[in-house]
Amino acid sequence: MTLSISISQYTQKLRDGELSSEEFIAQTLERINNVEKNLHAFISINENAIDQAKQIDKKIKAKEKVGACFGMPISIKDNICTKGMKTTCASKMLEDFVAPYDATVVSKLKSEDAIIIGKANLDEFAMGSTTEYSYFGPSRNPWNTDYVPGGSSGGSGVSVSALECIASLGSDTGGSVRSPASFCSVVGLKPTYGLISRYGLVSFANSIEQIGPLARTVEDVAFILNIIAGRDSHDNTTIENGTPDYTKDLDVGVSGKKIGIISEMVGEGVDKDVQSSTKHAISTFEKLGAQCIPISIDSAEHSVAAYYTLASAEASSNLARFDNLRYGYDFSVEGYEYNSYISKVRSSLGPEVTRRMLLGTFVLSAGYYGKYYQKAQKVRSLIKSQLDESFKKVDLLLAPTMPILPFKIGEKIDDPLKIYLLDINTIIANLSGIPAISVPYSIANGLPIGIQLFANSLQEKQLLQSAHALQKTTNLPGVPI
Amino acid sequence: MTKIGLEIHCQLTKLESKLFCSCKADYRSFEPNSNICPVCMGLPGSLPILNKKSVEKAAMLSIALGCKIPPKIGFFRKNYFYPDLPKNFQITQYNAYGPTSIGYDGMIMIEDKEIRIRRIQLEEDPGRLVYSGSSEKTQITLVDYNRAGTPLVEIVTEPDFENPKQVRIFLNILADLVENLGVADPYLEGAFRVDGNISIEKGNRVEIKNVGSFRDIEKALHFEITRQQSLAERGILIPAETRHWDEARKITVSSRSKEEEQDYRYFPEEDIPKIIIEKTLIDNLKKTMPESIMSKKEKYINKYGIPTQVAEVLSSDKFYSDLFEQSHTEKNTKEIANLITTDLKGFADTKEQREQLKLTPKHLCDLADSILSNKITRASGKMALQEILKTGKPLSEVISSLDLGHVDDESSLVKAIDEVFTEEQKAVSEAKQNPDTINYLVGKVMRKTKGKSDPSLTLDIIRKKLDSQ
């Protein structure tokens, strides 16, 4: 039996009785046990996983109705609430926090008999692009453990890539699903804003972020998307998607499709290996019958500045609730007056979170709101309208997911601006709300490179079809660890 | 010139659930911190779900206060740290970047004076802090989040009041209005809270907060005028500040906190998408919302011929006017108005009394008809009403059990008069000279017949009998 198995293979084996959930979970836990000391993909592991697998096996044997996941192990980024398991956001602030409820995505997965195998590591409160800002220590790239796995959903990317689970849920605020997908050589989808309920996702930048699936194949991502997408009465921002079956017609190909290559994202500042891999992907699409034309989204140049302004503004408000009064870490109020207590307990927030709290508070302050927040909103509208215009001309947009290859842990941590600039190719999808996907495409110097596709809002089906067509042309080596 | 403006926080107590979750809007009967959920506690990952009915109630109030309603409304976050605020921001509405609150630019008349309404905003109430002793000297502060998330509207007026008396009249009218609309019960504890701001000639603006009952605001404003005038007379600058009303000492006290310096960093609440207010919704509300007090009053006077003073009492009290509307027919309006505003007095003054009342609209209608058709006298009617209030029995039963039926056969009336003439010989002889004494005799007869006899018939018979003696 191999852990490197697709969802359709897994469910078929379970149906046929060739494999039990318990066996698979046990083997997954063994794998986790073997690789975790080198990778640190998880903050916590589900201690009841085996028992839960046994329950599901019982149902299968008794020929009772079984959910579509047949007890497959799925990891959940640790900023998504799970009832009865800690949800730490990789922060000291929530090191002992156990949510009294499941996020909508988690309850949907559970009702389809998925097993939450563990909670995946992340940058504290999802703020970062390398997973180095976790209070519990960084995750490591399974392709080379000296290297960062991307972030902020680094633990999700690592766990899927290193066969510690079949799929994972991350959250993508500025590229946080696609970055680790690209760096760890897995598929990562940032869906249309409002397609997936955010209820239970601990908010960082609530107008920008979405929960997204990571898996080893586009087919598997489509399978997870089917389960978690759709309107939710607990989230006013969710939209009606008409509940299409994303796994259906994945093989239609790209013949006749028009793909716009975003000029600003393939030229200057992009690593040579990434450039040549992108060119290769373009010619692959052409061979498959698509027409590729260059397209300019020049507002993307301001996207990073606008994003860090807006996301930090929202974060400064969203994270204000962490005052350690109703829940939090062990710290006595004794001897503190209210304000000094608040500032004392909040000083345990890490450097990147603190930086964004300060930045966000500043840009919302009286006298600066128009200069920064409103101006950033204008950039956001401009990006939206340029993308709208582009999608009148083309069906999809293409760019490398990350402008550079994975780099060494610690290499850029002292230069926050350099880390911010890693998001240059991913942020436009978040600011405009459109879906985007990263597909593993090649390996250079033993390090993965991902290709990113964008589609118009709610065009996930088309996006997945094209990503699937591209992935089918690749033949990448297995993870070395 | 003295200028006063008001900020009224009025909870929408007639709603079932809180503004953003399904916890009860009526938090008052709960043990501390038992009317809460992940949403109103602002737990990580929770999201607000807007109570759509709150928008309708607030829109109704906006219409009633003559406000404009924007085509789209939105919510903002008001950011500040305070222990009663679970998220450390309050979800509210804000018009600094264009009108997006449920109502703006309204107006209401009080005694020929226009009071302009700057805006009406929908927002969540914070939790409640409970101190041991006063807030200044407390050793411990307890927080009860049962109230957190309770829907309320903040009504902000322009500084159009010239004196505290106008404020009182306005607040009485406003309280009656919200009650009549069915959006709130302003007399519930903490449901109707008023902050004021006041400046005298050339003085700075002073805010008064923490006024527990809305009747105390008049006292607080009087105190402030005196305080500010005495400062001005001594040539001392009146500082712009926030002062708290000290209920025990009946004075305002400078607030230690620097609230006026606080920067709330308002920005849009993106978890709640903008809500389009369709014209059809407004038209529908206008059609279906309860009739205004003013319009009721006019109708009572002009259509039913009810005296102005009675019409005023009747229309401004929703309980009275509802009872009236449900009970009257075309013919008995005046009699019912009379029964409600005079005979019901003392029996249905408080909320508790009203809740226990066994009176139905049918009772009132039957009672009025019986009086009008001379079946029973007004005096008997009052007795019957009191019995009905207690027992809820049908009128006919009450009349027979208390033997209130009219003494319409003349012979028994004559018999009663004969008895009185025998018992009151002195009065009878006096009555022959002094007609005023006749009323005394009529009263005696009425008492003997337990109020059942027709007063005018009794008078006639007594007169005849006196003439014949």
Side-chain angles (χ1 to χ4, degrees):
Chain A
M1 184 183 74
T2 169
L3 289 172
S4 176
I5 189 172
S6 77
I7 290 179
S8 62
Q9 287 167 334
Y10 173 85
T11 54
Q12 194 56 51
K13 280 181 191 287
L14 265 284
R15 269 199 201 92
D16 295 346
E18 282 176 38
L19 177 66
S20 73
S21 170
E22 187 186 349
E23 283 172 76
F24 197 82
I25 293 290
Q27 202 172 334
T28 299
L29 288 170
E30 197 188 321
R31 168 77 176 170
I32 289 171
N33 201 30
N34 290 336
V35 297
E36 265 302 278
K37 56 185 175 298
N38 295 320
L39 297 179
H40 193 223
F42 289 102
I43 290 175
S44 57
I45 300 291
N46 178 5
E47 285 162 8
N48 302 315
I50 290 281
D51 288 342
Q52 288 163 7
K54 282 180 183 165
Q55 291 300 316
I56 291 161
D57 286 334
K58 231 187 243 173
K59 283 207 283 188
I60 297 170
K61 269 200 194 120
K63 302 222 181 323
E64 284 172 35
K65 199 170 179 291
V66 186
C69 292
F70 285 93
M72 73 174 72
I74 289 180
S75 72
I76 304 286
K77 189 177 184 179
D78 208 20
N79 61 348
I80 298 172
C81 290
T82 43
K83 192 175 178 174
M85 281 178 87
K86 280 183 191 175
T87 299
T88 68
C89 293
S91 178
K92 170 148 184 80
M93 209 40 123
L94 292 177
E95 64 179 353
D96 292 320
F97 178 69
V98 178
Y101 63 98
D102 275 327
T104 298
V105 288
V106 171
S107 55
K108 280 182 166 183
L109 283 172
K110 282 184 177 173
S111 70
E112 289 296 343
D113 283 329
I115 290 174
I116 310 305
I117 193 73
K119 300 296 293 285
N121 199 12
L122 65 151
D123 288 292
E124 184 176 7
F125 287 106
M127 297 179 194
S129 307
T130 64
T131 320
E132 289 168 286
Y133 288 124
S134 168
Y135 171 69
F136 303 104
S139 294
R140 293 173 176 275
N141 195 318
W143 292 80
N144 185 333
T145 54
D146 290 338
Y147 285 69
V148 299
S152 65
S153 312
S156 292
V158 174
S159 63
V160 172
S161 172
L163 313 178
E164 295 175 280
C165 57
I166 282 191
S168 182
L169 293 187
S171 66
D172 192 315
T173 313
S176 284
V177 161
R178 290 162 286 161
S179 149
S182 176
F183 277 11
C184 297
S185 200
V186 299
V187 183
L189 172 72
K190 197 294 284 187
T192 304
Y193 186 80
L195 182 65
I196 294 176
S197 168
R198 288 180 295 113
Y199 184 71
L201 168 68
V202 180
S203 287
F204 148 28
N206 50 306
S207 82
I208 301 173
E209 63 207 0
Q210 273 289 285
I211 289 171
L214 297 94
R216 289 186 288 270
T217 67
V218 175
E219 274 182 293
D220 290 358
V221 161
F223 177 92
I224 302 293
L225 188 62
N226 267 357
I227 294 171
I228 62 175
R231 208 177 151 77
D232 179 19
S233 62
H234 291 295
D235 179 355
N236 268 169
T237 65
T238 50
I239 47 182
E240 203 52 68
N241 68 331
T243 55
D245 180 354
Y246 295 106
T247 59
K248 217 180 145 203
D249 305 326
L250 267 184
D251 277 318
V252 296
V254 292
S255 180
K257 290 255 188 287
K258 270 192 177 174
I259 301 176
I261 314 302
I262 303 175
S263 312
E264 288 80 4
M265 298 183 183
V266 291
E268 211 182 317
V270 180
D271 176 275
K272 266 191 195 146
D273 288 320
V274 175
Q275 268 188 6
S276 67
S277 175
T278 307
K279 274 182 196 151
H280 195 275
I282 293 167
S283 68
T284 300
F285 269 127
E286 282 173 338
K287 274 180 211 154
L288 292 171
Q291 188 195 345
C292 296
I293 53 165
I295 266 207
S296 169
I297 311 280
D298 58 8
S299 57
E301 187 192 336
H302 306 291
S303 65
V304 174
Y307 167 80
Y308 279 93
T309 304
L310 296 174
S312 302
E314 291 182 7
S316 73
S317 174
N318 285 323
L319 270 64
R321 72 192 64 192
F322 303 118
D323 55 17
N324 223 45
L325 288 175
R326 292 159 295 272
Y327 47 86
Y329 63 95
D330 195 13
F331 191 91
S332 167
V333 297
E334 213 61 52
Y336 288 95
E337 169 272 324
Y338 178 71
N339 284 327
S340 62
Y341 177 76
I342 299 293
S343 67
K344 179 74 189 169
V345 291
R346 282 171 68 82
S347 66
S348 78
L349 291 168
E352 186 54 31
V353 174
T354 304
R355 193 153 34 236
R356 296 199 199 182
M357 296 292 96
L358 293 172
L359 177 62
T361 303
F362 172 72
V363 298
L364 288 176
S365 300
Y368 294 99
Y369 183 86
K371 210 169 162 186
Y372 297 107
Y373 181 86
Q374 279 185 321
K375 209 169 197 174
Q377 289 290 15
K378 278 184 194 158
V379 172
R380 187 178 189 174
S381 311
L382 188 64
I383 290 171
K384 255 185 209 164
S385 65
Q386 284 197 348
L387 286 169
D388 280 347
E389 280 306 305
S390 314
F391 285 119
K392 285 178 190 162
K393 291 179 220 148
V394 298
D395 303 301
L396 299 156
L397 291 168
L398 182 149
T401 310
M402 302 300 286
I404 58 172
L405 293 170
F407 45 91
K408 282 190 172 164
I409 290 171
E411 196 181 314
K412 292 187 198 290
I413 193 126
D414 295 327
D415 195 343
L417 277 183
K418 260 191 194 155
I419 294 182
Y420 292 176
L421 283 170
L422 294 175
D423 299 337
I424 183 89
N425 290 0
T426 47
I427 276 174
I428 56 164
N430 303 89
L431 288 181
S432 62
I434 63 168
I437 193 166
S438 179
V439 184
Y441 191 69
S442 58
I443 303 286
N445 309 321
L447 296 168
I449 296 172
I451 294 297
Q452 183 179 213
L453 293 168
F454 305 85
N456 210 347
S457 285
L458 289 177
Q459 295 298 311
E460 270 78 4
K461 192 143 191 177
Q462 182 172 211
L463 187 67
L464 290 163
Q465 286 165 348
S466 309
H468 181 60
L470 185 68
Q471 191 177 31
K472 275 200 301 183
T473 67
T474 63
N475 185 17
L476 298 174
V479 69
I481 194 163
Chain B
M1 197 177 80
T2 302
K3 278 184 173 180
I4 302 168
L6 300 176
E7 287 172 16
I8 300 111
H9 289 89
C10 175
Q11 290 179 344
L12 300 174
T13 62
K14 298 291 178 185
L15 287 172
E16 267 292 304
S17 51
K18 289 185 178 179
L19 192 51
F20 301 117
C21 63
S22 53
C23 289
K24 293 276 176 250
D26 182 9
Y27 55 87
R28 289 174 178 78
S29 56
F30 287 87
E31 288 289 302
N33 296 311
S34 65
N35 181 40
I36 53 173
C37 74
V39 176
C40 58
M41 281 301 280
L43 288 192
S46 66
L47 293 171
I49 297 298
L50 180 65
N51 178 344
K52 292 262 164 62
K53 285 195 180 133
S54 70
V55 177
E56 287 185 15
K57 295 270 183 203
M60 238 160 55
L61 183 60
S62 300
I63 295 167
L65 294 179
C67 288
K68 292 175 189 161
I69 294 174
K72 266 186 195 176
I73 63 162
F75 288 87
F76 277 72
R77 291 185 183 178
K78 180 182 183 180
N79 295 285
Y80 61 101
F81 282 87
Y82 211 65
D84 62 6
L85 209 56
K87 303 184 291 290
N88 284 319
F89 61 79
Q90 181 194 29
I91 303 178
T92 180
Q93 297 193 297
Y94 189 59
N95 285 353
Y97 308 113
T100 51
S101 77
I102 185 68
Y104 66 102
D105 287 357
M107 196 270 286
I108 137 171
M109 295 291 290
I110 56 156
E111 297 184 336
D112 300 329
K113 184 166 174 51
E114 281 185 10
I115 301 298
R116 290 168 300 159
I117 307 292
R118 185 179 295 169
R119 67 172 180 274
I120 298 178
Q121 65 197 47
L122 194 52
E123 62 186 32
E124 55 178 344
D125 220 349
R128 238 161 42 86
L129 297 185
V130 183
Y131 304 104
S132 62
S134 73
S135 62
E136 276 83 21
K137 289 175 189 155
T138 190
Q139 285 299 310
I140 49 162
T141 305
L142 302 169
V143 198
D144 178 4
Y145 291 104
N146 284 349
R147 193 179 75 176
T150 298
L152 63 82
V153 284
E154 182 175 337
I155 303 161
V156 183
T157 77
E158 296 291 346
D160 288 345
F161 302 94
E162 288 155 7
N163 56 58
K165 191 184 160 212
Q166 287 175 351
V167 168
R168 186 192 59 208
I169 296 168
F170 170 82
L171 289 174
N172 283 332
I173 289 174
L174 185 63
D176 287 341
L177 185 144
V178 298
E179 193 179 30
N180 178 61
L181 273 180
V183 300
D185 178 353
Y187 302 104
L188 279 176
E189 187 270 322
F192 197 82
R193 314 191 293 267
V194 186
D195 294 341
N197 50 68
I198 175 166
S199 63
I200 61 167
E201 185 99 47
K202 288 175 190 159
N204 280 314
R205 202 179 75 134
V206 172
E207 269 192 87
I208 312 171
K209 292 198 161 185
N210 198 33
V211 187
S213 98
F214 77 87
R215 302 185 197 283
D216 274 355
I217 189 83
E218 194 184 358
K219 290 181 203 157
L221 290 169
H222 272 303
F223 175 86
E224 262 309 296
I225 291 173
T226 313
R227 187 188 70 87
Q228 293 183 19
Q229 277 170 348
S230 81
L231 286 179
E233 276 161 20
R234 285 179 283 158
I236 303 168
L237 181 83
I238 300 159
E241 61 175 343
T242 298
R243 298 177 70 85
H244 280 199
W245 173 243
D246 185 328
E247 210 181 319
R249 292 187 285 168
K250 307 284 178 213
I251 57 169
T252 65
V253 184
S254 185
S255 154
R256 284 175 307 162
S257 71
K258 300 169 186 166
E259 277 165 86
E260 49 280 334
E261 291 167 28
Q262 202 152 12
D263 179 355
Y264 291 115
R265 294 178 285 120
Y266 285 97
F267 78 107
E269 169 54 281
E270 303 274 4
D271 285 336
I272 305 163
K274 293 212 165 40
I275 298 122
I276 296 166
I277 307 290
E278 306 278 2
K279 202 182 160 287
T280 50
L281 172 78
I282 304 295
D283 291 344
N284 208 23
L285 285 176
K286 280 182 183 163
K287 256 185 255 161
T288 54
M289 65 195 256
E291 193 178 1
S292 77
I293 291 172
M294 192 60 89
S295 138
K296 278 184 202 170
K297 190 176 133 187
E298 275 168 21
K299 184 175 75 184
Y300 296 165
I301 296 170
N302 299 330
K303 195 172 165 197
Y304 302 145
I306 294 169
T308 308
Q309 269 184 318
V310 176
E312 241 164 44
V313 175
L314 197 58
S315 60
S316 63
D317 187 312
K318 183 172 163 55
F319 178 79
Y320 285 166
S321 61
D322 282 354
L323 201 54
F324 175 78
E325 299 286 349
Q326 288 159 15
S327 56
H328 79 76
T329 63
E330 256 172 56
K331 288 174 186 159
N332 62 14
T333 47
K334 272 199 237 176
E335 193 56 45
I336 287 184
N338 223 345
L339 281 168
I340 292 174
T341 55
T342 57
D343 296 334
L344 205 53
K345 238 195 181 119
F347 298 97
D349 299 347
T350 67
K351 205 183 161 210
E352 291 74 31
Q353 282 179 328
R354 288 175 177 191
E355 274 166 5
Q356 283 161 16
L357 229 51
K358 300 231 164 83
L359 181 74
T360 65
K362 186 174 186 313
H363 280 134
L364 267 182
C365 188
D366 292 348
L367 199 53
D369 286 346
S370 300
I371 293 169
L372 285 172
S373 63
N374 273 328
K375 254 196 196 156
I376 56 171
T377 61
R378 288 220 78 237
S380 298
K382 187 167 184 171
M383 286 167 69
L385 180 66
Q386 290 174 15
E387 182 65 13
I388 289 167
L389 294 177
K390 273 185 275 173
T391 63
K393 286 181 187 160
L395 179 64
S396 54
E397 220 176 283
V398 170
I399 288 175
S400 64
S401 73
L402 293 186
D403 191 19
L404 297 173
H406 230 298
V407 184
D408 38 16
D409 86 274
E410 233 180 275
S411 64
S412 53
L413 180 56
V414 168
K415 195 177 153 221
I417 291 172
D418 286 346
E419 281 171 30
V420 169
F421 269 59
T422 321
E423 288 157 18
E424 302 282 344
Q425 283 180 12
K426 193 172 166 228
V428 170
S429 57
E430 259 177 49
K432 282 178 192 163
Q433 276 93 49
N434 182 2
D436 285 349
T437 316
I438 294 179
N439 287 338
Y440 173 79
L441 292 173
V442 173
K444 284 285 166 192
V445 175
M446 293 301 281
R447 197 167 300 164
K448 203 169 259 304
T449 59
K450 294 181 189 146
K452 293 189 292 180
S453 49
D454 180 345
S456 60
L457 182 63
T458 310
L459 186 64
D460 275 355
I461 297 173
I462 290 176
R463 278 213 179 105
K464 277 184 202 152
K465 198 169 164 73
L466 284 172
D467 289 347
S468 66
Q469 277 188 346

